[in-house]
Amino acid sequence: MQNLFKEVKIKLQQALHDAFNLDVGIDQIEVQKTSHQKFGHLQTNVSLKLSKQLRLPPPKIGQVLTDYLSKDNTFSKVEIAGPGFINFFIHPEFFNSTLNQLKDDPYLGVNVMPSHPHVVVDYSSPNVAKEMHVGHLRSTIIGDAICRFLTFVGWDVIRQNHIGDWGTQFGMLIEYIIQNELDIKNENITKCYQQAKKMFDEDTEFAKKAKERVVMLQQHDEKTHSIWEKLVAQSEQHFTEVYEQLDVLLGEADVRPESFYNPKLQPLIDYLQKENISSIDQGAKVIFLDGFKDKDNHPLPMLIQKSDGGFLYATTDLAAIQFRIETLKAKRVVYCVDARQQQHFDMLFAAANKIGWCDESIDLNYALFGTILGDDGKPFKTRSGDTVKLLPLISKAIEKATTIVSTKNPSWDQQRVNETARTLAVASLKYSDLCNDKIKNYAFSYEKMLSFDGNTAPYLLNAYVRVQSLLRKANISMDQALDYTLNITEQNEIQLAYHLVLFSYEVETISTSLELHRMCHYLYQLASLFHHFYEHQPILRAETNEQKESRLCLVGISSKILAQGLNLLGIKTLDHM
RNA sequence: GCGUCCGUAGCUCAGCUGGAUAGAGCAACAGCCUUCUAAGCUGUGGGUCGCAGGUUCGAAUCCUGCCGGACGUGCCA
C-alpha cells in the first residue's frame, strides 16, 4: 500500500506527463498536508516550482492540472488557490476503502522492507559496580523505542548493551574488597566504590596496589578474577531489575561488555601501526583524522593507546565498530548516546572510514539526546546534589501514580491499583522523555508527566481506555468492531479517518529520521481527534444500525493504531483506569 | 580561540526536504454532565519566531555575521 502523499505525487506525475508532456522525478514533486482545513487535505506547489521551466504563469499551470485531476474520483474537489497552490479535498469514499483495507493489515499500512538487513542499536550501557542512574534513563528509553520501530519496519535488530565492566576502576575496587576481606553479597558496592576511589586518590600505597591489581585482573589471576566475576554478576542482576521495571527489551543476551573486546585491542593497535593508519605522537598511539582541531587549532587526533600502554574508550569503541560491521554484518549502526559525545563518535566514524571497514552502503549514525534538567534548569540531581538513582526514581513515579489511581478508583483492590499505577508511571516516564525533540535538554517533572491534561501519557491512555469501555458497552471485541464496514460521512469522522491514514507515513519517516517525538505528536493529535469525534457523534445510539457499526469500526481502527503507536514507543496500554 | 547544539506566547514545547493568517498544552477567564468514563469537550485573551543582513514569487525554516546559553576541545568515560 502506498502512503497517501506518494499516491498523489504519482497522480501529479502522470498529469504533468499527459498535460504538458513533461517528465518529472517523483522526488521533485512536493505534496504536503494543508495548513488549514479550509484548504482541503493536501496541497502541492508544483505549479509554482515548474513555472520557469514550463514558461507559464503558475495559475495557468494550476488550472490545467486542476481540470485534469478533477476527473479523479480520489478527490471530491481540486482547486487552485493563493499564488498557484493546488488544494486537494479527499473523497470520503477514498478513506472508507483505504481504511477498510488497512484494518486487516498487521502493519497498518506501513511498507515493510522486503529484505531484513542487520542494524545494531547501541544503548543503555551502564557500568558494573555502579547503580544505574538518571544518566542512563534516556539512552535506555530512546534506544528501546528505536529498536521497536526498526523491528516493525523490517530491520533485523541486534541490540548491544555495551556495559562498562573493565578498566582501572576495577583494580581499586577489587583491591579494596580484598584488603577489607569483604563479602560482596553483603556490601553496598556503590559505597565500596566511593571508598576505594577516595583511598586511590589519597593513599599512594593503595593506588600502587590498585594498579597492580588491574594487571592481575588482565592476567586472569584466579582470586582477582573471581571477585570481578561476582561483581559483574551482581550488577547484571541489578540491570535486569531496572529493565524489567521499565519494560524494555534488553536482556542478558544483548550484553556485549567492554571486556569482550579486551583481547582484540592489542592486535588491533598492532594492525593499525603496521598499516600506517595510526602513528605515535607525544608518546601515545593516535589516528589523525581530517577536520578535527584542538583548542590551539592544531590537528586533534583520536587517542587509541596511552603512552603507558593503556587503552582508552576510543580503543574499545573502535574494536566494537569493527565487530559490528564485520562479524554482526551490520548495514546500519545507531548509537543512542548523550549529545556531549558527538565529537567522539564523529571521530569514531571517520576512523572506521579511514581504516576501510565501511563503504557508503553502511550507515553509521547516532541518536543524540540532551540532558535531563531539574526545576532549577540545571542537570537533575537530588536535593543534596547527588545523582538520582533509577530504581528510587521509578518507585517515586509509581508512588505518585498509585495515589492518582486509587483516588479515582476507590473500590479497586490494592493489587489492581498497583498494577495500573505501575503501567501508568512507566508510560509517563517514557512518554515525557520521548515527546520532545531528543537533541534538546528537557525539564523533568513528576507532576507534568502524570498530568491528564495536555500531551501526556495519561491523556493518551485515557483515550484508549474510553475506547475499551465503549466496546465493552457494545458487548463486542476489537476484532468484531473491525469486522464491520466503515462508511464515514461526517466532518469529524473524516478528520479522524484522514489522520489514521497517515500512520504509515509517520512510521516510515521516523524509521529513517529517528524523530521519535513525531510519533508522540501524531498520537496526541489522534487522541484529540478521537475525543472530538466521541463527544460529537453518538456511537452506540447512532441513528441507523449501519452508522453504529461504521462508527464502532472507526473506533476500533483508532484504538488499534493508538495501541500500535504506543507499543512502538515501548508503552503499554490499559483497559481500565 | 575553534567546534557542536540550543534560543518560537508568562511557562513547557510542536512547526518535516522553504509555502497561504506561526500552532498545542499548562496557567488565566467564560461555557457544557437525567445521555457511550467530565481524567473529557467548546470558546476568549496572549507572538517584533534572539538581532541584523542575504537568497527567493515566498523565510521561524536555507546562507552569512553578531548577541545570549549549554556542551566539547590529546593520554577520564
Side-chain angles (χ1 to χ4, degrees):
Chain A
M1 193 191 264
Q2 300 290 357
N3 72 55
L4 183 55
F5 297 104
K6 195 161 181 193
E7 210 159 312
V8 174
K9 283 179 188 181
I10 290 168
K11 289 180 195 296
L12 276 163
Q13 194 180 33
Q14 188 64 44
L16 286 164
H17 175 84
D18 292 353
F20 296 102
N21 197 24
L22 183 71
D23 290 310
V24 184
I26 190 99
D27 296 333
Q28 305 191 6
I29 298 172
E30 288 177 34
V31 171
Q32 56 194 275
K33 279 185 78 169
T34 53
S35 58
H36 227 275
Q37 205 176 318
K38 67 183 177 192
F39 298 136
H41 298 108
L42 296 168
Q43 70 166 212
T44 183
N45 57 11
V46 282
S47 29
L48 293 129
K49 289 279 184 212
L50 295 175
S51 174
K52 256 180 204 163
Q53 197 177 337
L54 289 170
R55 286 188 284 182
L56 288 167
K60 172 73 185 157
I61 302 170
Q63 190 57 55
V64 173
L65 292 174
T66 300
D67 290 345
Y68 183 97
L69 290 162
S70 291
K71 297 175 198 130
D72 191 318
N73 56 17
T74 302
F75 310 115
S76 57
K77 187 165 78 170
V78 183
E79 63 178 19
I80 38 174
F85 295 111
I86 301 172
N87 295 335
F88 299 96
F89 294 74
I90 309 284
H91 199 284
E93 223 19 73
F94 173 85
F95 292 127
N96 283 329
S97 66
T98 304
L99 288 176
N100 276 324
Q101 282 174 51
L102 183 143
K103 69 188 186 186
D104 298 322
D105 177 3
Y107 294 98
L108 296 163
V110 173
N111 283 300
V112 177
M113 300 160 85
S115 66
H116 304 290
H118 290 188
V119 54
V120 166
V121 183
D122 178 315
Y123 68 110
S124 196
S125 310
N127 296 308
V128 164
K130 287 185 195 164
E131 280 174 76
M132 286 184 76
H133 56 81
V134 69
H136 301 111
L137 186 61
R138 300 204 75 185
S139 179
T140 306
I141 290 173
I142 290 166
D144 185 61
I146 287 173
C147 287
R148 291 171 192 263
F149 268 94
L150 296 183
T151 302
F152 189 73
V153 299
W155 287 89
D156 187 344
V157 175
I158 305 170
R159 293 181 289 274
Q160 292 282 279
N161 195 354
H162 192 80
I163 285 176
D165 68 340
W166 205 251
T168 48
Q169 69 270 30
F170 290 96
M172 59 194 191
L173 180 58
I174 294 170
E175 184 61 27
Y176 179 86
I177 288 165
I178 290 173
Q179 282 191 12
N180 294 284
E181 296 179 355
L182 301 176
D183 181 352
I184 63 165
K185 280 204 289 281
N186 310 322
E187 297 297 325
N188 178 332
I189 300 299
T190 306
K191 289 227 170 80
C192 291
Y193 182 85
Q194 287 162 354
Q195 281 296 317
K197 176 93 174 81
K198 199 174 164 206
M199 281 182 75
F200 186 84
D201 292 338
E202 291 169 2
D203 181 345
T204 51
E205 184 63 22
F206 178 82
K208 193 179 151 212
K209 287 249 171 69
K211 283 174 187 165
E212 287 166 9
R213 190 59 68 183
V214 177
V215 177
M216 291 169 83
L217 177 62
Q218 284 173 347
Q219 288 167 348
H220 282 249
D221 168 71
E222 202 183 316
K223 188 176 182 188
T224 310
H225 208 265
S226 93
I227 293 174
W228 174 78
E229 280 175 350
K230 282 180 198 158
L231 285 169
V232 171
Q234 189 163 320
S235 287
E236 285 191 357
Q237 215 176 333
H238 165 71
F239 303 153
T240 302
E241 188 183 350
V242 173
Y243 298 146
E244 279 174 4
Q245 287 274 305
L246 287 175
D247 293 327
V248 299
L249 298 166
L250 279 172
E252 281 177 33
D254 306 313
V255 172
R256 183 97 54 188
E258 286 182 348
S259 59
F260 172 81
Y261 300 104
N262 193 252
K264 304 175 192 292
L265 301 184
Q266 192 58 56
L268 174 59
I269 299 279
D270 294 343
Y271 169 78
L272 295 174
Q273 280 295 108
K274 197 181 93 210
E275 296 292 318
N276 283 322
I277 292 165
S278 63
S279 53
I280 297 174
D281 195 77
Q282 298 172 31
K285 294 204 177 75
V286 302
I287 303 177
F288 281 98
L289 299 158
D290 293 339
F292 296 93
K293 301 280 175 64
D294 71 6
K295 57 189 163 200
D296 299 317
N297 224 5
H298 297 137
L300 175 71
M302 182 157 89
L303 212 62
I304 55 173
Q305 189 167 31
K306 296 194 279 187
S307 47
D308 68 1
F311 302 118
L312 296 119
Y313 80 133
T315 329
T316 311
D317 277 335
L318 214 45
I321 206 167
Q322 181 185 21
F323 179 78
R324 289 164 184 186
I325 294 168
E326 294 184 349
T327 306
L328 299 178
K329 308 283 183 216
K331 290 291 165 202
R332 182 178 181 186
V333 186
V334 181
Y335 289 86
C336 303
V337 293
D338 191 297
R340 282 171 289 201
Q341 297 204 57
Q342 181 173 4
Q343 185 178 252
H344 165 69
F345 283 97
D346 284 336
M347 293 179 92
L348 182 69
F349 300 157
N353 271 299
K354 180 168 177 164
I355 298 166
W357 288 333
C358 49
D359 56 37
E360 285 150 9
S361 73
I362 295 178
D363 177 15
L364 302 176
N365 223 321
Y366 35 46
L368 299 173
F369 52 83
T371 308
I372 301 182
L373 305 176
D375 308 330
D376 54 0
K378 291 183 178 155
F380 190 42
K381 294 269 171 69
T382 62
R383 285 226 177 93
S384 53
D386 298 324
T387 52
V388 180
K389 305 286 193 292
L390 235 36
L391 285 176
L393 178 142
I394 298 165
S395 301
K396 192 165 175 186
I398 293 174
E399 196 183 301
K400 288 179 184 284
T402 304
T403 308
I404 294 168
V405 173
S406 58
T407 307
K408 177 70 163 75
N409 304 288
S411 66
W412 285 12
D413 61 50
Q414 196 57 42
Q415 191 191 343
R416 192 175 185 191
V417 169
N418 289 347
E419 283 170 8
T420 305
R422 203 186 82 80
T423 301
L424 186 62
V426 171
S428 301
L429 271 171
K430 289 183 172 181
Y431 193 84
S432 63
D433 194 312
L434 296 169
C435 76
N436 296 331
D437 187 357
K438 62 189 173 319
I439 193 71
K440 295 184 184 176
N441 299 342
Y442 92 93
F444 188 94
S445 160
Y446 290 108
E447 280 64 37
K448 277 189 182 153
M449 71 175 70
L450 285 164
S451 164
F452 280 84
D453 300 317
N455 187 6
T456 64
Y459 176 86
L460 293 186
L461 291 176
N462 182 51
Y464 187 81
V465 163
R466 290 180 99 179
V467 170
Q468 299 315 305
S469 169
L470 199 54
L471 294 177
R472 277 193 300 274
K473 211 136 232 173
N475 204 20
I476 56 168
S477 69
M478 189 158 88
D479 285 340
Q480 284 173 294
L482 293 173
D483 278 341
Y484 293 136
T485 302
L486 188 70
N487 185 21
I488 56 171
T489 52
E490 302 303 314
Q491 232 355 276
N492 44 35
E493 291 176 321
I494 294 168
Q495 289 300 315
L496 178 56
Y498 178 35
H499 197 66
L500 294 171
V501 165
L502 296 178
F503 179 73
S504 60
Y505 173 75
E506 287 297 324
V507 174
E508 288 165 25
T509 303
I510 293 164
S511 302
T512 305
S513 71
L514 307 178
E515 295 163 309
L516 301 168
H517 68 290
R518 284 185 65 129
M519 181 49 60
C520 297
H521 286 271
Y522 172 85
L523 294 175
Y524 177 58
Q525 225 174 328
L526 170 54
S528 300
L529 288 167
F530 173 77
H531 276 138
H532 186 78
F533 157 71
Y534 178 92
E535 292 283 338
H536 296 92
Q537 300 299 336
I539 297 163
L540 300 180
R541 279 182 288 275
E543 282 179 29
T544 66
N545 197 48
E546 191 201 2
Q547 199 170 47
K548 175 180 160 183
E549 292 185 352
S550 168
R551 286 179 184 163
L552 281 169
C553 181
L554 186 59
V555 166
I557 302 169
S558 301
S559 77
K560 196 173 176 183
I561 288 183
L562 189 52
Q564 184 59 257
L566 287 168
N567 180 268
L568 291 174
L569 296 170
I571 293 170
K572 286 183 176 168
T573 51
L574 288 164
D575 290 342
H576 303 263
M577 66 192 282

